[in-house]
Amino acid sequence: MIRNAKRRAALIAIAGAAILGLGLSGCASGGDDSGDSEGRTLRVWAGSQTPIEANFNPFSPSVLHAALGPIYEPLFFYNKTADDAPAPMLGESFEYNADGTVITVTLKDGVKWSDGEDFTAADAAFTFNYEPNHRDGLISAEAPDDTTLVLTYEAPQFTNEFQILGTTWMLPEHIWSEVDDYTTYTDEEPVGTGPYVVDKVTDASYTVVANENFRDEGVPAIKKVQYIGIDANQSAQDLLTAGELDWTGMFVPNPDSVTSNGVISMLNTPQDPTVLYTCANAELGCTGPQTDVAVRQALNVAIDRGTIKEKAFVGLTGDISPTFALLPRDQKWVADPANEVSPQSPDAAAAARILEAAGYTKGGDGFYAKDGTPIELSLISVDGWTDYNDAAKLISEQAAEAGIKVNASTVQWQEFSDARQTGQYQLIMGGVIGTSVADPFQIYKDWFAGESTSQVGEEVPSGRWNFSRYDNPIVNEAVAAAAATNDEAVKQKAYAALQTEIVRDLPYIPLVINATQTFFNTKDFTGWPTEDDLYAFPPAWGSVAAGYVLQHLEPVK
Amino acid sequence: MRFYARRIAFYVVTLWATISLNFLLPRLLPGDPADILLAKMQRAGGEINETTVRNIKTLLGGDSSSMWDQYVAYWGRMLQGDLGISITKYPAPVTDLIAAALPWTVILVGLATVISFVLGVGIGAWVGWRRGTWVDHLVPFTTVLQSIPYFWLALVLVAIFSVALGWFPIFGGYDVWEFPEGPEWSWAFIGSAVYHGFLPALTIVLSSVGGWLLGMRNMMVSTVSEDYIVTAEAKGLKPARILRTYATRNAAIPSIAGFGISLGFVVAGSIVMEQVFTYPGIGKLMIQSVQNSDYALMQGVFLVITIAVLAANFIMDIVYGFIDPRARHNV
């Protein structure tokens, strides 16, 4: 018995040693593969959750990031961080006819698909006619010769230019005309015009390698890019710190801890507004004190944006303009210089004046009320979005100082999504999608125009975001006027009228511009966008822009 | 024989009920997958234009047929082994996702559970045998480890051993830099997998060993006062023999029953561990499916877990019927 036990113990010890040995050998071989930086693989956070499934179909919601920009390309590149003219990608130049219904695009000559076939205007015309790309109002997409594309629409397309020329991915007709059902197609071996082609996809990562047929000589200089699936932000941050990851776009509250290794640099490009959605329009069924414009105005001046920026967003956000123009990019569209920036410090006295003028009186408990009904607002934010949760708590405290009672609570995602879709809420801490070109038009149309909303209880129209139920004839008219023109002066006049309305009515109370942090390895790779040369939106997940940045990168010799 | 027939009938009914609940529960959740996906893309700052929205609605639009028709179709598909298409990983079949994740979970969580059980019962037996001496301090120590929030323990271990000391990898089931081609049959790969699994397994063992240890120690203390132990001592048997063949064997019976059940739960994986370590297992599929209202994936994962737990229970029932005649007569 005892001898048996001894033998067993010895066996276990040997097994243990074997496992340990294996572990150590794994350790030894797992270390560095960066012998020479010349041929070094660029390692990017894929942004997708593991397991990774091969899917390069640009119409699929689960498309892998490398498909959008590095593999498939639109005709032109629009830099959303600056007021630049669109840069040629597959298109060389384009022009409108007088009323904006016909766009004639001249394509680059001699471009090839990654399988060696020629890219021609016929492919582009096929792409615009392809069912999922087919826009309402497209009359025809034609290719009179190999380098000319003519798009004809029913209505002026000035304001849709970015969507048409900057986000429509060009598809090879000889492949996509064979696709039976684009909704289930996974496109595992995509053929595009971009600088990369797919090499290998696994559960944990996927690799793309340089496209030998790419139109520009010597581009891309980085021959291999590996996208890694990482689920926890903390892991990604740890990998960056350890120098095992070269490019991410993620929120890190203490960026110094990542950049202090001398390898990784950080670039912050605030882009998307964060606001309080208010269900503002009683006529469409909104209920609660926030339907009174005086309450929204009082709240607007009572909020301490400076404190919210420092405490909830660790000082990384940008200052917002109540006109929703992104400054300094959209400077030319701000009609009244007084509306450049929302107040950064609170003014309880001003809030009191606004409320008292509107007939509210302060009760014994320190809160304002009208006709015996106190102002009491509920403010929800999505549970787990800690920056928003903290900001909501701060707003609740700041509003109380000004005599407005705001009860902040957190809800599950589904509840938040339901509430904003159907308008059954009072205040929501939420985001607004920033515009991808130097013009706030898309926000005005999608978030403020009456056509973009619906009765409370019904969902807002698909692809529109007017959750506040705001519907103002002056705004609607201005949006229509701006859509029909390419004349800057006419547009500025329309925006001036619109801005007066929204700055006064505050259907969304502006708070801050959300930070967008990008971390990249500047020791082994050069050519990244910088503060001084912000030639593209820098995060690794930036659609189109990521492919554009990759074309500019070079290994450090 | 009646005992077995009744047990089997019971399990068949349970299986039917759980699978039906499995169908029903996700449909009672609020939220539309398309909206959730759009809200998530918006939060991430992605491009969302009308084309994207229309395509997502087309793909993920709700099933408008009646609940009963959906239920019948659900059973029909399931009997053919078709668990549907995942929305989060559209259009990957749920069976593929589960098949890829299951081995990782079963091996890692399974091994960790076995190690934790063996250690807990072994040390528990020893501590119970030596009750009243200094070794009793092991009990509060391990229970404290168990009561520390698991994710915190995992993050602390990562911060110390992976980030600060660099002894262990930070994430993943294997070295993705070294094996960009994915899993392969080689010693180098197995070594990498073992190396990557070590820290996750350690966190599971640390946080669960206390329970086994405490239970075993208490059983041991009450067993040692039994008459047959006194008899054995009176006979003059060696203490080591009494400890092993008399006390431990009898004291371990409840722990073994518990072990059978916890093996069933191995399949559920360890959600937090898999999230912290980006470990390719089932727990992560589950959390992703719930976050994204991905009904098909949710049902697939729950089904696999349900079947594993029921199977473990069933086997324990049968085994108990064999080893303990009382169990057969009392039912």
Side-chain angles (χ1 to χ4, degrees):
Chain A
M1 194 75 201
I2 288 168
R3 210 190 288 158
N4 244 344
K6 264 188 187 155
R7 204 176 301 152
R8 223 179 300 146
L11 267 176
I12 289 169
I14 290 168
I19 288 173
L20 208 67
L22 277 171
L24 291 177
S25 74
C27 170
S29 61
D32 57 334
D33 58 341
S34 52
D36 57 328
S37 59
E38 186 76 40
R40 164 112 132 61
T41 302
L42 180 78
R43 300 176 295 201
V44 184
W45 182 13
S48 350
Q49 285 186 308
T50 59
I52 288 169
E53 287 289 323
N55 186 344
F56 295 92
N57 174 354
F59 303 112
S60 172
S62 41
V63 60
L64 296 176
H65 282 174
L68 309 177
I71 293 169
Y72 287 109
E73 293 180 311
L75 295 172
F76 292 90
F77 171 68
Y78 290 78
N79 179 6
K80 72 196 262 183
T81 59
D83 189 5
D84 292 346
M89 279 193 117
L90 291 166
E92 191 74 67
S93 62
F94 64 92
E95 58 183 31
Y96 287 101
N97 67 344
D99 62 0
T101 54
V102 178
I103 311 175
T104 308
V105 185
T106 307
L107 302 176
K108 278 186 184 168
D109 201 12
V111 175
K112 284 187 185 315
W113 294 103
S114 58
D115 64 356
E117 301 253 347
D118 289 332
F119 164 79
T120 67
D123 288 308
F126 165 80
T127 303
F128 284 100
N129 283 316
Y130 195 59
E131 194 209 324
N133 277 330
H134 200 95
R135 291 179 63 85
D136 292 340
L138 176 71
I139 295 172
S140 69
E142 283 162 346
D145 62 60
D146 272 0
T147 54
T148 310
L149 171 73
V150 182
L151 300 168
T152 312
Y153 293 89
E154 284 166 4
Q157 298 297 314
F158 298 122
T159 52
N160 294 326
E161 179 186 307
F162 166 68
Q163 289 181 32
I164 295 169
L165 300 177
T167 66
T168 308
W169 309 102
M170 290 300 123
L171 307 172
E173 183 175 8
H174 63 280
I175 296 192
W176 281 78
S177 58
E178 315 266 302
V179 173
D180 293 331
D181 179 5
Y182 75 89
T183 59
T184 54
Y185 182 52
T186 50
D187 197 16
E188 286 170 40
E189 285 164 6
V191 172
T193 53
Y196 289 92
V197 292
V198 174
D199 182 38
K200 182 80 196 171
V201 184
T202 74
D203 277 3
S205 77
Y206 61 100
T207 313
V208 295
V209 293
N211 171 8
E212 297 303 322
N213 288 313
F214 191 65
R215 55 186 176 271
D216 294 337
E217 200 64 41
V219 178
I222 310 292
K223 296 300 173 198
K224 209 170 191 184
V225 181
Q226 190 182 7
Y227 290 79
I228 319 288
I230 305 163
D231 292 337
N233 268 30
Q234 184 62 44
S235 309
Q237 193 183 331
D238 291 343
L239 289 168
L240 275 174
T241 314
E244 292 189 48
L245 206 59
D246 300 318
W247 190 12
T248 68
M250 62 187 286
F251 177 70
V252 175
N254 49 342
D256 290 348
S257 70
V258 176
T259 53
S260 63
N261 62 6
V263 174
I264 302 294
S265 303
M266 194 267 283
L267 189 57
N268 183 15
T269 45
Q271 191 77 28
D272 297 310
T274 290
V275 300
L276 286 184
Y277 303 155
T278 71
C279 193
N281 191 346
E283 276 170 40
L284 284 178
C286 293
T287 54
Q290 83 289 351
T291 52
D292 185 346
V293 67
V295 172
R296 299 199 295 273
Q297 287 169 342
L299 202 52
N300 182 50
V301 293
I303 290 171
D304 182 353
R305 291 180 177 79
T307 303
I308 291 172
K309 174 180 180 175
E310 286 313 315
K311 288 194 173 161
F313 296 100
V314 290
L316 290 165
T317 50
D319 296 343
I320 197 166
S321 161
T323 61
F324 284 80
L326 181 68
L327 296 177
R329 187 192 71 179
D330 303 344
Q331 190 71 53
K332 68 180 176 199
W333 300 119
V334 179
D336 182 352
N339 292 336
E340 266 185 22
V341 182
S342 286
Q344 295 300 303
S345 44
D347 189 346
R353 277 197 301 278
I354 294 168
L355 289 174
E356 277 158 17
Y360 290 88
T361 47
K362 205 169 196 172
D365 57 354
F367 290 107
Y368 279 93
K370 191 182 198 175
D371 308 329
T373 329
I375 306 177
E376 187 164 4
L377 293 155
S378 83
L379 164 60
I380 58 173
S381 57
V382 176
D383 191 36
W385 293 4
T386 47
D387 46 352
Y388 279 22
N389 303 156
D390 294 347
K393 234 179 286 167
L394 289 169
I395 288 170
S396 162
E397 288 164 17
Q398 293 158 4
E401 303 247 317
I404 305 168
K405 191 179 249 179
V406 174
N407 304 318
S409 62
T410 63
V411 296
Q412 290 306 305
W413 197 316
Q414 276 92 341
E415 243 175 287
F416 150 79
S417 175
D418 271 6
R420 68 172 200 171
Q421 276 293 348
T422 59
Q424 281 145 350
Y425 69 92
Q426 295 186 323
L427 300 173
I428 290 179
M429 185 81 202
V432 167
I433 309 164
T435 53
S436 294
V437 286
D439 183 342
F441 177 80
Q442 212 64 37
I443 293 182
Y444 294 159
K445 177 179 152 220
D446 290 348
W447 295 79
F448 288 94
E451 57 170 316
S452 304
T453 196
S454 59
Q455 281 281 342
V456 167
E458 287 167 31
E459 296 202 350
V460 301
S462 172
R464 304 297 179 83
W465 315 92
N466 189 348
F467 302 122
S468 82
R469 268 66 196 174
Y470 188 61
D471 191 1
N472 175 335
I474 300 174
V475 169
N476 298 349
E477 210 172 288
V479 166
T485 182
N486 217 13
D487 183 336
E488 218 166 85
V490 178
K491 231 168 157 177
Q492 269 164 341
K493 205 166 146 246
Y495 286 180
L498 181 151
Q499 288 171 1
T500 311
E501 298 298 305
I502 65 171
V503 171
R504 184 195 63 229
D505 287 349
L506 296 161
Y508 307 92
I509 300 174
L511 294 173
V512 293
I513 303 284
N514 240 2
T516 312
Q517 288 167 282
T518 305
F519 293 88
F520 37 57
N521 180 338
T522 43
K523 180 172 158 274
D524 300 324
F525 302 95
T526 62
W528 302 102
T530 61
E531 203 88 50
D532 302 324
D533 180 17
L534 211 50
Y535 64 82
F537 187 51
W541 45 259
S543 137
V544 195
Y548 198 70
V549 170
L550 281 171
Q551 292 181 33
H552 287 74
L553 293 187
E554 278 178 28
V556 172
K557 298 260 159 49
Chain B
M1 221 42 230
R2 253 186 79 214
F3 166 73
Y4 294 109
R6 279 169 65 175
R7 293 317 295 162
I8 289 169
F10 170 77
Y11 277 103
V12 168
V13 172
T14 313
L15 195 62
W16 169 79
T18 46
I19 291 176
S20 299
L21 269 180
N22 199 2
F23 166 82
L24 203 60
L25 286 178
R27 281 170 176 74
L28 299 178
L29 289 175
D32 166 14
D35 272 340
I36 289 168
L37 194 66
L38 285 171
K40 197 169 269 187
M41 288 170 78
Q42 187 200 340
R43 164 79 170 166
E47 302 286 349
I48 307 180
N49 54 43
E50 281 169 44
T51 319
T52 320
V53 175
R54 201 178 59 196
N55 286 328
I56 287 174
K57 294 268 183 192
T58 315
L59 289 176
L60 309 182
D63 190 344
S64 55
S65 56
S66 80
M67 205 69 147
W68 175 251
D69 288 345
Q70 290 184 45
Y71 181 65
V72 172
Y74 167 74
W75 268 105
R77 282 198 311 272
M78 188 137 58
L79 291 175
Q80 290 165 14
D82 175 7
L83 297 177
I85 303 279
S86 162
I87 285 171
T88 23
K89 300 287 161 191
Y90 192 85
V94 168
T95 35
D96 287 6
L97 291 174
I98 293 179
L102 206 52
W104 292 99
T105 294
V106 169
I107 293 176
L108 182 80
V109 186
L111 269 181
T113 307
V114 170
I115 292 172
S116 153
F117 172 75
V118 170
L119 278 180
V121 167
I123 300 175
W126 181 58
V127 173
W129 186 249
R130 300 254 165 163
R131 67 200 177 285
T133 64
W134 65 271
V135 292
D136 266 350
H137 296 306
L138 276 175
V139 175
F141 176 67
T142 53
T143 17
V144 163
L145 276 182
Q146 191 175 21
S147 57
I148 293 174
Y150 174 78
F151 73 93
W152 194 77
L153 179 71
L155 285 177
V156 167
L157 288 182
V158 169
I160 296 174
F161 294 108
S162 300
V163 179
L165 296 172
W167 291 356
F168 290 104
I170 292 164
F171 83 115
Y174 58 90
D175 193 327
V176 291
W177 324 117
E178 197 72 7
F179 300 96
E181 309 270 299
E184 59 184 45
W185 281 116
S186 71
W187 284 111
F189 177 80
I190 294 172
S192 174
V194 169
Y195 176 51
H196 278 70
F198 188 84
L199 205 55
L202 182 68
T203 57
I204 297 180
V205 170
L206 281 181
S207 66
S208 65
V209 76
W212 297 118
L213 194 148
L214 187 67
M216 184 63 192
R217 184 230 172 231
N218 292 347
M219 271 313 286
M220 197 70 180
V221 169
S222 64
T223 310
V224 171
S225 60
E226 296 279 345
D227 289 344
Y228 57 86
I229 302 287
V230 180
T231 314
E233 277 168 353
K235 278 202 292 187
L237 292 177
K238 279 189 187 134
R241 175 122 191 252
I242 300 174
L243 168 65
R244 261 200 324 271
T245 42
Y246 285 70
T248 307
R249 254 184 213 189
N250 285 298
I253 286 176
S255 297
I256 289 172
F259 178 61
I261 306 299
S262 63
L263 275 188
F265 281 103
V266 160
V267 169
S270 171
I271 294 176
V272 184
M273 180 278 284
E274 287 172 16
Q275 202 65 24
V276 171
F277 292 96
T278 308
Y279 204 79
I282 291 278
K284 193 168 47 230
L285 288 183
M286 180 149 66
I287 199 162
Q288 276 178 28
S289 66
V290 173
Q291 280 171 349
N292 298 302
S293 285
D294 187 345
Y295 299 151
L297 186 57
M298 220 187 289
Q299 285 164 350
V301 171
F302 289 161
L303 179 74
V304 171
I305 296 170
T306 309
I307 290 177
V309 173
L310 280 180
N313 272 292
F314 182 63
I315 292 169
M316 284 317 293
D317 255 8
I318 301 292
V319 169
Y320 250 67
F322 272 121
I323 60 175
D324 192 346
R326 285 172 302 180
R328 262 176 299 181
H329 293 300
N330 285 347
V331 178

